[in-house]
Amino acid sequence: MDVPEVPSKVDPDSLTAVLDGRWAELRRGVRAQMAGTEFRDPIDLATEPHRAQVLDQLRALAATDRPGLGFDPAYGGGGDVGGSVTSFEMLGYGDLSLMVKAGVQWGLFGGAVQLLGTEGHHERYLRSIVNLDLLGCFAMTEHGHGSDVQHLRTTATYEDGGFVVHTPDPMAQKEYIGNAARDGRMAVVFAQLITGGESRGVHAFLVPIRDTEGNPLPGVSIEDCGPKAGLNGVDNGRLSFDHVRVPREALLNRFGDVDENGTYSSPIESDSRRFFTMLGTLIRGRVSVGGSAGSATKRALALAIRYGEHRRQFATPDGEEVVILDYLAHQRKLLPALAKTYALHFAQEELVSKLHDIDSSAPEEEQRELESRAAGLKALNTWHATATIQAAREACGGAGYLAENLLPGLKADTDVFTTFEGDNTVLLQLVAKGLLTSYKQDFQDLSPLATARFFAEQVVSAVLERTSARKAVEALTEGSDAEVFFRREWQLRLFEDREEHVVEGVAKRLRKAASDPFGVFNSAQDHVLRAGRVHVERLVLTAFAAAIERCEDPDARTLLERVCDLYALSAIEEDLAWFLGHGRLTASRGKAVTAAVNGLCAQLRPHARALVDAFAIPEQFLAAPMLKS
Amino acid sequence: MDVPEVPSKVDPDSLTAVLDGRWAELRRGVRAQMAGTEFRDPIDLATEPHRAQVLDQLRALAATDRPGLGFDPAYGGGGDVGGSVTSFEMLGYGDLSLMVKAGVQWGLFGGAVQLLGTEGHHERYLRSIVNLDLLGCFAMTEHGHGSDVQHLRTTATYEDGGFVVHTPDPMAQKEYIGNAARDGRMAVVFAQLITGGESRGVHAFLVPIRDTEGNPLPGVSIEDCGPKAGLNGVDNGRLSFDHVRVPREALLNRFGDVDENGTYSSPIESDSRRFFTMLGTLIRGRVSVGGSAGSATKRALALAIRYGEHRRQFATPDGEEVVILDYLAHQRKLLPALAKTYALHFAQEELVSKLHDIDSSAPEEEQRELESRAAGLKALNTWHATATIQAAREACGGAGYLAENLLPGLKADTDVFTTFEGDNTVLLQLVAKGLLTSYKQDFQDLSPLATARFFAEQVVSAVLERTSARKAVEALTEGSDAEVFFRREWQLRLFEDREEHVVEGVAKRLRKAASDPFGVFNSAQDHVLRAGRVHVERLVLTAFAAAIERCEDPDARTLLERVCDLYALSAIEEDLAWFLGHGRLTASRGKAVTAAVNGLCAQLRPHARALVDAFAIPEQFLAAPMLKS
């Protein structure tokens, strides 16, 4: 297969300029700071010194103005939401425990105070949260409820002018709470608000958990979650409350309040809708996890590709040993993953921009669409991280298994990303639900039952109507393989067509849900998940294509065109059974896709190093002994 | 899709009887021993106490007669090769550091002395190797050569009646050597034998490395490899030698010897063929790694399936929360993997039997075929372990990330299995090579160059002739979906046909190799790997079908029939693009395959617990707190 040519040499800096995008200056600043030796990796540190090192690193970050970026300028913040999320993403190049600890403190704890609280809370707490005088936790997940947070069981009952926070049973214990086991002094606790004997759904409360000496306050029990697969620099713990009294003002009351008489009021009538609106304001955490998963993936690929250019094994006819990245099988392990990493980077960049630009007066559908995009990209980014870091480890053989070569830490730390800040499987269901309901319903109610019930209603017919306006599929088959494969419009049309078909199929299946909502939902669950995935893949390809348009260096641009082709064609190859089975590709064209992927691997092989150098990862995070000898 | 019914209840003991197979009594004995608390998991142990614990456990094993099973009865051994390998497999239920340490000591070190040495070595060392008076290492891999061991650079030069073992440069340093960093007193060192100025290829030498106090001997440098992703109870180290003198008898001289005058002799003339014959005798290690990967996979599935039956999330219409294993997506994550685990178990059992039964007078092709099977099953078993343990971790959400719930240890320990004892990618090339050459060539010479050169010769035409006798493919399409899908013969024919077609395709591609051996090999590498994989998948299905015939309990047998269907149909679904693209399945039949997999998941769901209970894993290795609350 003839693959369009690429320039013989491309300057990584030109690629970095495109990758850095809108927050380029901020990225340069974070990079420069992270090059400092205080941000070193925690090779072979025991838990306690590791936790201490991460807290020191957190304080070093607090000395800059970046932790405040996401906060209100009225309280010393930067008012730069996109910059804030981007700086979390950049922390993903270093020790991921630091990224998570920073995310808990400033993203989740601080974010909840800012976004769920009101002026009094901001005035009282935001400055000390930013400067770390007040270390806090985000206590949502419980032992018995993680994905289904609407049914948390901790209670906050209004009595005698304040709230009594209580853990009624062991399943209601707060679980995996970052900052809880060692450093946190206060927690934002999510609990069922009860007043006048009536429950008003889940709300957030500020609950002090430790005194100034660090001892648990009366009524608060704290356990350490103990060793984890990774992220051992983060002190995850369990919290439970035995009738702990907090004042009325402890309620973060932006979306719901209780007056002195115990009367509840809220701008949003439905308890469920209110709760999912509250959750929706907290998407920055999910966006940050997706972004930092991308950073960890870039680091793993940079290590594996450098090793692949360094390590030799088996001789060629001329007697010289072959650099292992010259083997097709090795290219196949790493280069399509590298292309997808570029693609997800640009999609993430676009997401961050949308998050930054949306304002509170935006139509609700727009907010829901943003939440869907955040959920979907978090899922794809983190699954991609897990798979790619695994492949990178294997591509480095025994060397990749030694802690000093950094891949074991990356693997262990990122492993939980697929299931925290929203389990990926559940998140893809949320994406599919948005597609089917045009983002009009109580969006984050993820229960299968709630999802299924929609489809006893008229919602589905709207979907069917929308997708029936499908453009002619014939356009997909015009031209020779080599002519169509490298045409962006053809690739996009193929992705769009697949999405339309899958979404339509799901809608048809779910129309029968009235009779047996759970059964019908469950038997269509694989299609539901596919709908979510293919939708996000289409968004990703669109974002990559748009980013190329912004590239000014013609050589870099040509190279990125081929990287984008590799992303698109390897995604098609991965789902080839679908494209063949639904008549979108003929058998011979299907084989040609594989040939094209191989051809692109060969074309991009000489640029692999430039493509990872363009990530501009501080060298101390790539200082693996395996690359030196 | 109507799926054949299964009995409402099947006794796990009946399944255990089939799984236990030929070495059932031995398996029961190992299980009983491993239930002892001294074999506990190493949750949160630092490296040094973990190493100490594993050495204590090794001594506890040495107190039984099992470590001697694989050795010659003349020196106190059991002469039971299959039993020996099976007991390594069973160790995979516990701390995998112990399995690896035992494998290094008795399998690799002891195995090399037995299989590469002669009577004098046996007399002098075997008893003390079995009873642990002599702890040893297997020093093959070097810093610069892992897969390409034929080109190791350590030298052993015959001078003045003995050998001088020497590390000529840093790339020749022995790397990742188990037992080297702490406990080993002696090493089997693989080195280029040089006598009279001539190199005779790689041979094995017994080299003492530490004195009785544990200090390195003069000329021997030992480094600790430091922390690893997992297996930190094994003391991997680096060895280098500065002109270390050993006596002439240090040469393990079964396949090549040097007399007092320095004259070399060997029963095998070709240096290359001799070396690969030596390697071939050492396949027990590879077989054991595949088996213990299977055990670790079983443990991960037992944990995740128990959790899937215990954990509830989201309510159904009747208000009760759903057990997560009732969700189709959750079944999809675990049940096809469970079916494949059964399939690989039976294939492994068959491999062990063949290994046990082969005698030294067997035709060379038979020995090569056994080596190929060991290589291929090691690759599939270990990749399956990596993927399945990952899926099991994700299926347990946050709980799966806590060390106390055992999955993190399983994931970290098994991660290296895909690249040690032969890198899986290289091993699949070996399998493909065997298929193409009818096992007639210097088999383990894995270099692409050597592989490619065959295909400039007449070898390929033999392959083409063999496969052209293909049975009619039409038989594959007769009958309705439901009629053919659950017919074993249809499944087998589909697997065979795929293998024939892929092998034939590779042969055709490689015929052009004379002009540019490396280029032609490299551009066909993805097809070469596919040939290896589909061949092994066919062996696996055949082995599963044969095992079912041995099942006496009719209910257990019916259940196993469905498990085998799930293995076969999910393997077809995974490779659906191939079957569609090559006209083996129609588009509508392709969709029906997915429906059949879903239907089988639903049928097997109520039996999931029995299917993992049948592994009879000692309860202490399943004592995860997440299963209790």
Side-chain angles (χ1 to χ4, degrees):
Chain A
M1 159 90 35
D2 286 336
V3 172
E5 293 204 351
V6 290
S8 59
K9 199 164 162 23
V10 173
D11 182 1
D13 291 345
S14 311
L15 297 166
T16 306
V18 193
L19 288 163
D20 275 1
R22 185 166 167 187
W23 282 273
E25 197 185 323
L26 176 88
R27 287 179 191 271
R28 283 190 292 270
V30 178
R31 256 180 218 128
Q33 183 184 19
M34 289 180 75
T37 53
E38 70 271 31
F39 290 99
R40 66 191 173 282
D41 274 304
I43 306 290
D44 205 18
L45 273 187
T47 299
E48 181 47 37
H50 188 191
R51 287 176 173 182
Q53 173 172 304
V54 168
L55 185 60
D56 288 345
Q57 292 171 340
L58 198 71
R59 295 202 187 281
L61 290 182
T64 70
D65 59 1
R66 281 184 288 271
L69 277 180
F71 293 97
D72 190 337
Y75 307 98
D80 179 1
V81 174
S84 168
V85 169
T86 300
S87 58
F88 283 120
E89 175 193 318
M90 298 295 289
L91 288 181
Y93 282 154
D95 181 0
L96 290 156
S97 286
L98 176 61
M99 185 285 292
V100 170
K101 184 116 174 160
V104 167
Q105 171 66 18
W106 294 309
L108 296 175
F109 173 59
V113 171
Q114 167 158 298
L115 296 164
L116 305 181
T118 51
E119 201 181 332
H121 303 109
H122 300 163
E123 184 60 47
R124 188 159 170 199
Y125 296 113
L126 286 184
R127 285 185 191 83
S128 55
I129 289 172
V130 171
N131 71 18
L132 295 187
D133 283 348
L134 178 64
L135 281 155
C137 314
F138 182 83
M140 182 181 282
T141 296
E142 293 180 357
H143 194 67
H145 290 90
S147 294
D148 186 10
V149 281
Q150 194 174 6
H151 293 97
L152 295 177
R153 295 167 58 85
T154 300
T155 52
T157 309
Y158 188 72
E159 274 177 25
D160 304 327
F163 291 96
V164 177
V165 177
H166 186 62
T167 305
D169 58 64
M171 297 303 273
Q173 188 180 44
K174 295 294 178 184
E175 180 67 277
Y176 319 126
I177 308 303
N179 256 348
R182 182 183 186 267
D183 296 326
R185 293 290 183 269
M186 184 175 268
V188 169
V189 175
F190 288 81
Q192 303 287 347
L193 187 158
I194 299 167
T195 180
E198 195 184 348
S199 173
R200 304 307 307 247
V202 174
H203 290 66
F205 301 83
L206 281 167
V207 183
I209 59 168
R210 281 193 179 82
D211 63 21
T212 47
E213 266 98 70
N215 301 307
L217 287 167
V220 178
S221 303
I222 307 181
E223 276 178 33
D224 196 315
C225 287
K228 306 183 294 284
L231 297 177
N232 283 303
V234 183
D235 53 321
N236 293 86
R238 304 186 178 105
L239 298 173
S240 41
F241 303 97
D242 182 6
H243 299 93
V244 173
R245 259 200 101 74
V246 292
R248 192 168 61 90
E249 295 72 31
L251 171 64
L252 294 175
N253 60 345
R254 177 173 163 201
F255 292 103
D257 205 359
V258 172
D259 71 14
E260 287 170 13
N261 304 319
T263 306
Y264 182 82
S265 63
S266 167
I268 303 172
E269 198 170 342
S270 149
D271 287 352
S272 167
R273 192 173 193 85
R274 180 188 321 116
F275 178 59
F276 293 116
T277 301
M278 288 166 61
L279 281 190
T281 64
L282 302 175
I283 60 165
R284 293 182 199 177
R286 204 165 269 170
V287 175
S288 298
V289 166
S292 55
S295 296
T297 308
K298 290 168 192 163
R299 189 179 174 198
L301 283 170
L303 289 163
I305 282 173
R306 287 185 182 199
Y307 188 70
E309 289 212 326
H310 172 78
R311 174 77 173 173
R312 294 174 179 275
Q313 205 74 181
F314 295 115
T316 54
D318 61 16
E320 212 188 352
E321 287 184 310
V322 182
V323 154
I324 58 175
L325 194 55
D326 284 346
Y327 290 111
L328 172 64
H330 211 78
Q331 293 163 12
R332 277 260 174 189
K333 282 177 196 168
L334 298 175
L335 300 186
L338 178 58
K340 187 169 178 180
T341 304
Y342 265 77
L344 287 166
H345 172 96
F346 292 120
Q348 177 75 15
E349 170 87 1
E350 184 176 279
L351 167 68
V352 173
S353 265
K354 282 181 190 287
L355 173 70
H356 185 86
D357 293 335
I358 199 168
D359 64 37
S360 53
S361 65
E364 203 173 339
E365 281 85 349
E366 202 176 310
Q367 176 68 25
R368 297 293 90 81
E369 199 278 332
L370 183 68
E371 289 168 27
S372 163
R373 191 181 281 256
L377 270 175
K378 185 273 182 184
L380 264 64
N381 250 318
T382 56
W383 268 326
H384 178 62
T386 292
T388 303
I389 296 169
Q390 182 70 43
R393 200 301 289 164
E394 292 182 27
C396 297
Y401 198 62
L402 299 185
E404 64 182 21
N405 291 323
L406 308 171
L407 289 159
L410 286 171
K411 176 75 201 156
D413 287 345
T414 53
D415 199 53
V416 77
F417 285 26
T418 54
T419 54
F420 80 175
E421 281 288 321
D423 180 278
N424 283 358
T425 300
V426 177
L427 292 179
L428 282 190
Q429 282 173 208
L430 184 149
V431 173
K433 193 168 156 187
L435 293 172
L436 290 161
T437 61
S438 309
Y439 306 103
K440 280 184 186 145
Q441 301 285 337
D442 281 353
F443 188 68
Q444 297 220 13
D445 184 352
L446 296 169
S447 72
L449 183 58
T451 304
R453 279 196 174 139
F454 288 131
F455 306 102
E457 297 162 22
Q458 75 288 9
V459 178
V460 169
S461 50
V463 172
L464 294 179
E465 203 173 304
R466 196 174 67 216
T467 58
S468 66
R470 184 193 298 169
K471 294 163 213 157
V473 180
E474 296 81 65
L476 296 179
T477 55
E478 281 165 16
S480 74
D481 296 340
E483 279 165 8
V484 297
F485 283 177
F486 307 101
R487 204 187 290 152
R488 194 77 58 232
E489 198 197 352
W490 178 83
Q491 298 163 356
L492 279 167
R493 195 64 208 91
L494 210 59
F495 279 47
E496 283 165 9
D497 169 66
R498 175 178 58 160
E499 179 182 345
E500 285 164 10
H501 186 90
V502 174
V503 172
E504 186 180 322
V506 173
K508 281 181 185 154
R509 282 163 196 272
L510 292 181
R511 268 201 291 194
K512 303 161 202 152
S515 57
D516 170 17
F518 180 76
V520 169
F521 166 81
N522 206 33
S523 69
Q525 196 179 15
D526 52 344
H527 295 271
V528 169
L529 295 173
R530 168 179 286 277
R533 180 175 64 75
V534 301
H535 169 70
V536 184
E537 286 187 357
R538 198 255 303 160
L539 294 181
V540 170
L541 181 57
T542 307
F544 199 158
I548 294 175
E549 297 299 315
R550 297 193 299 269
C551 178
E552 287 167 12
D553 177 313
D555 284 350
R557 188 180 168 126
T558 306
L559 183 63
L560 288 174
E561 296 278 11
R562 295 295 80 74
V563 176
C564 189
D565 289 339
L566 180 56
Y567 165 65
L569 291 166
S570 56
I572 292 167
E573 188 187 35
E574 214 174 338
D575 208 13
L576 197 54
W578 192 91
F579 289 105
L580 294 172
H582 291 81
R584 265 55 175 188
L585 296 178
T586 61
S588 75
R589 185 153 278 182
K591 285 176 199 169
V593 167
T594 294
V597 169
N598 287 351
L600 284 164
C601 283
Q603 281 279 29
L604 293 174
R605 158 70 189 90
H607 298 280
R609 176 66 190 256
L611 286 165
V612 293
D613 283 353
F615 299 141
I617 301 166
E619 282 296 322
Q620 77 165 329
F621 301 119
L622 300 173
M626 67 178 177
L627 301 178
K628 286 173 199 152
S629 60
Chain B
M1 159 90 34
D2 286 335
V3 173
E5 293 204 352
V6 290
S8 60
K9 198 163 161 26
V10 172
D11 181 3
D13 290 345
S14 312
L15 297 167
T16 306
V18 193
L19 288 162
D20 275 3
R22 185 167 166 186
W23 283 273
E25 196 185 323
L26 177 88
R27 288 180 191 270
R28 283 191 292 270
V30 179
R31 255 180 218 129
Q33 184 184 17
M34 291 180 74
T37 53
E38 69 272 31
F39 291 100
R40 67 193 173 281
D41 274 305
I43 306 292
D44 205 18
L45 273 187
T47 297
E48 181 47 36
H50 188 190
R51 287 176 174 182
Q53 173 171 304
V54 168
L55 184 59
D56 288 346
Q57 292 171 340
L58 198 71
R59 296 205 186 279
L61 290 182
T64 70
D65 60 0
R66 282 183 286 272
L69 277 180
F71 294 98
D72 191 336
Y75 308 97
D80 180 0
V81 174
S84 167
V85 169
T86 301
S87 59
F88 283 120
E89 175 193 318
M90 297 297 288
L91 287 180
Y93 282 154
D95 181 359
L96 290 156
S97 287
L98 176 60
M99 186 284 294
V100 170
K101 185 118 174 160
V104 168
Q105 171 67 18
W106 293 309
L108 296 176
F109 173 59
V113 172
Q114 167 159 299
L115 295 164
L116 305 181
T118 50
E119 201 181 332
H121 303 109
H122 300 163
E123 184 60 47
R124 187 160 170 199
Y125 297 112
L126 285 184
R127 287 185 191 83
S128 57
I129 289 172
V130 171
N131 71 17
L132 294 188
D133 282 347
L134 178 63
L135 281 154
C137 313
F138 182 83
M140 182 181 282
T141 297
E142 293 180 356
H143 193 68
H145 290 91
S147 294
D148 185 10
V149 282
Q150 195 176 5
H151 293 99
L152 296 175
R153 295 167 58 85
T154 300
T155 51
T157 309
Y158 188 73
E159 274 177 25
D160 304 328
F163 291 96
V164 177
V165 177
H166 184 62
T167 305
D169 57 64
M171 297 303 272
Q173 187 181 45
K174 295 294 176 182
E175 179 69 276
Y176 319 128
I177 307 303
N179 255 349
R182 180 182 187 269
D183 297 326
R185 293 289 183 270
M186 184 175 268
V188 169
V189 175
F190 287 81
Q192 302 287 348
L193 187 158
I194 299 167
T195 179
E198 196 185 347
S199 173
R200 303 309 306 245
V202 175
H203 289 66
F205 300 83
L206 280 167
V207 184
I209 58 168
R210 281 193 180 83
D211 63 21
T212 48
E213 265 98 70
N215 301 307
L217 287 167
V220 179
S221 303
I222 307 180
E223 277 178 32
D224 196 316
C225 288
K228 307 183 294 286
L231 297 177
N232 283 304
V234 183
D235 53 321
N236 293 86
R238 304 185 179 106
L239 298 174
S240 41
F241 304 96
D242 182 7
H243 298 93
V244 172
R245 260 199 100 74
V246 292
R248 193 169 61 90
E249 295 72 29
L251 172 63
L252 295 174
N253 60 345
R254 176 174 165 200
F255 292 104
D257 204 357
V258 172
D259 71 13
E260 287 171 12
N261 304 319
T263 306
Y264 182 83
S265 63
S266 168
I268 304 173
E269 197 170 343
S270 150
D271 287 354
S272 166
R273 192 172 194 87
R274 180 188 321 116
F275 178 59
F276 293 116
T277 302
M278 288 165 61
L279 282 188
T281 64
L282 303 174
I283 60 166
R284 294 182 199 176
R286 205 165 269 169
V287 176
S288 298
V289 166
S292 55
S295 297
T297 308
K298 290 167 192 163
R299 188 178 174 198
L301 283 170
L303 288 163
I305 283 173
R306 288 186 180 197
Y307 188 70
E309 290 211 324
H310 171 80
R311 174 76 174 175
R312 294 173 178 274
Q313 205 75 181
F314 295 117
T316 54
D318 60 17
E320 212 188 351
E321 287 184 309
V322 182
V323 154
I324 58 176
L325 194 55
D326 284 347
Y327 290 111
L328 172 64
H330 211 76
Q331 293 163 11
R332 277 260 175 189
K333 282 178 196 167
L334 299 175
L335 299 187
L338 178 59
K340 186 169 178 180
T341 303
Y342 265 75
L344 287 166
H345 172 94
F346 292 120
Q348 176 76 15
E349 171 86 0
E350 185 176 279
L351 167 67
V352 172
S353 265
K354 282 180 188 287
L355 172 69
H356 185 85
D357 293 334
I358 199 167
D359 64 38
S360 53
S361 65
E364 203 173 341
E365 282 84 350
E366 204 177 307
Q367 176 67 26
R368 298 291 92 80
E369 200 277 333
L370 183 68
E371 290 168 26
S372 163
R373 192 181 279 255
L377 270 176
K378 185 272 182 184
L380 264 63
N381 249 317
T382 57
W383 269 326
H384 178 62
T386 292
T388 303
I389 296 169
Q390 182 72 42
R393 201 300 290 163
E394 292 182 27
C396 297
Y401 198 62
L402 300 185
E404 64 182 21
N405 291 322
L406 307 172
L407 290 159
L410 287 171
K411 176 74 201 158
D413 286 345
T414 53
D415 199 52
V416 78
F417 284 26
T418 55
T419 55
F420 80 176
E421 280 288 321
D423 180 280
N424 283 358
T425 300
V426 177
L427 292 179
L428 281 190
Q429 282 171 209
L430 184 150
V431 174
K433 193 168 155 187
L435 293 173
L436 291 162
T437 62
S438 308
Y439 306 103
K440 280 184 187 143
Q441 301 286 336
D442 281 352
F443 188 67
Q444 295 222 12
D445 184 353
L446 296 168
S447 73
L449 184 57
T451 304
R453 280 196 174 139
F454 288 132
F455 306 101
E457 297 162 22
Q458 73 287 11
V459 178
V460 169
S461 49
V463 172
L464 294 179
E465 203 173 301
R466 194 174 71 217
T467 59
S468 66
R470 185 192 299 169
K471 295 165 212 156
V473 180
E474 296 80 63
L476 296 177
T477 54
E478 280 164 17
S480 74
D481 296 340
E483 278 164 8
V484 296
F485 283 176
F486 306 102
R487 204 186 292 153
R488 193 77 58 232
E489 198 197 352
W490 178 83
Q491 298 162 357
L492 280 166
R493 196 63 207 93
L494 209 60
F495 278 47
E496 283 165 7
D497 169 66
R498 175 178 57 161
E499 179 182 345
E500 286 163 10
H501 185 90
V502 173
V503 173
E504 185 180 323
V506 173
K508 281 183 186 154
R509 281 163 198 271
L510 292 181
R511 268 201 293 194
K512 302 162 203 150
S515 57
D516 170 17
F518 180 76
V520 169
F521 167 81
N522 206 31
S523 69
Q525 196 179 15
D526 52 343
H527 295 269
V528 169
L529 295 173
R530 169 180 286 276
R533 181 175 64 75
V534 301
H535 169 70
V536 184
E537 287 186 357
R538 198 256 302 159
L539 294 182
V540 170
L541 181 57
T542 306
F544 200 157
I548 294 174
E549 298 300 315
R550 297 194 298 270
C551 180
E552 287 165 14
D553 178 314
D555 284 350
R557 189 180 167 123
T558 305
L559 183 63
L560 287 174
E561 296 278 12
R562 296 296 79 75
V563 175
C564 189
D565 289 338
L566 180 56
Y567 165 66
L569 291 166
S570 56
I572 292 167
E573 188 188 34
E574 215 174 335
D575 208 12
L576 198 54
W578 191 92
F579 289 105
L580 293 172
H582 291 79
R584 266 55 175 187
L585 297 179
T586 62
S588 75
R589 185 153 278 183
K591 284 177 198 166
V593 168
T594 294
V597 169
N598 287 351
L600 284 164
C601 283
Q603 282 278 29
L604 292 175
R605 158 70 188 92
H607 298 280
R609 177 64 190 257
L611 286 164
V612 294
D613 283 353
F615 298 141
I617 301 167
E619 282 297 323
Q620 76 165 328
F621 301 119
L622 300 173
M626 68 179 177
L627 301 177
K628 287 172 200 154
S629 61

